[in-house]
Amino acid sequence: MGFLLHRRPGRGRLDQDSVPSCWEQQGFGGYNYGRDRAGEQNPIAREQGKYRLRFDVPAGWRGKIVRLVFDGAMTDTEVLVNGKSAGPIHQGSFYRFKYDITPLVKFGDSNLLEVTVSKVSSNESVNNAERFKC
């Protein structure tokens, strides 16, 4: 699966990385852990990773349930299949979550999976559980 993230925001180019990975260790974004985040001089890193993958679903799978399973994502994760939401935004840490994408896929054809992972959750309790405050 391809991963796109601005290595240096504002330069107008996206870089590619592999998954699974910790994007900070690949030179993308900034760390929020173990550093002083005092105001505007050292703001929270709030980047998003964009994942895109084209995949085929065999025509012979018609009548079966097609599930998309994630073993974990940090933190808010929005999943689209062929431009439509696969379900509610996952909020939390690295635990397994899944979607039934059967009604969204095109059997016997190419499909597009798009996943957006936000480093900082829109849910403050998730951020607090991850030991940093935004």
Side-chain angles (χ1 to χ4, degrees):
M1 178 182 278
F3 165 73
L4 300 173
L5 182 75
H6 287 284
R7 191 176 297 271
R8 285 180 225 110
R11 80 175 194 190
R13 185 168 84 79
L14 294 173
D15 293 298
Q16 189 162 353
D17 192 16
S18 61
V19 289
S21 75
C22 177
W23 69 52
E24 297 91 351
Q25 292 180 348
Q26 305 301 318
F28 295 92
Y31 286 99
N32 284 334
Y33 299 103
R35 67 182 181 92
D36 181 26
R37 292 174 299 280
E40 294 178 20
Q41 295 173 337
N42 199 9
I44 295 288
R46 297 181 178 274
E47 62 265 5
Q48 292 182 320
K50 306 278 187 178
Y51 301 81
R52 292 185 193 104
L53 177 71
R54 288 223 168 262
F55 65 100
D56 294 329
V57 177
W61 285 16
R62 253 184 246 286
K64 297 184 179 188
I65 296 172
V66 180
R67 289 190 182 97
L68 183 60
V69 180
F70 292 83
D71 280 332
M74 182 66 188
T75 175
D76 290 7
T77 305
E78 178 181 22
V79 179
L80 303 176
V81 176
N82 297 321
K84 297 181 182 171
S85 175
I89 292 175
H90 163 78
Q91 290 187 317
S93 191
F94 297 106
Y95 61 85
R96 182 174 284 188
F97 60 100
K98 63 186 175 182
Y99 299 102
D100 177 352
I101 61 170
T102 309
L104 304 176
V105 297
K106 297 181 274 186
F107 293 93
D109 204 351
S110 179
N111 294 270
L112 176 62
L113 171 65
E114 297 173 283
V115 180
T116 300
V117 179
S118 299
K119 178 179 276 189
V120 177
S121 179
S122 62
N123 182 335
E124 187 63 28
S125 68
V126 171
N127 296 326
N128 289 337
E130 293 304 323
R131 292 174 289 231
F132 70 90
K133 271 196 129 175
C134 300

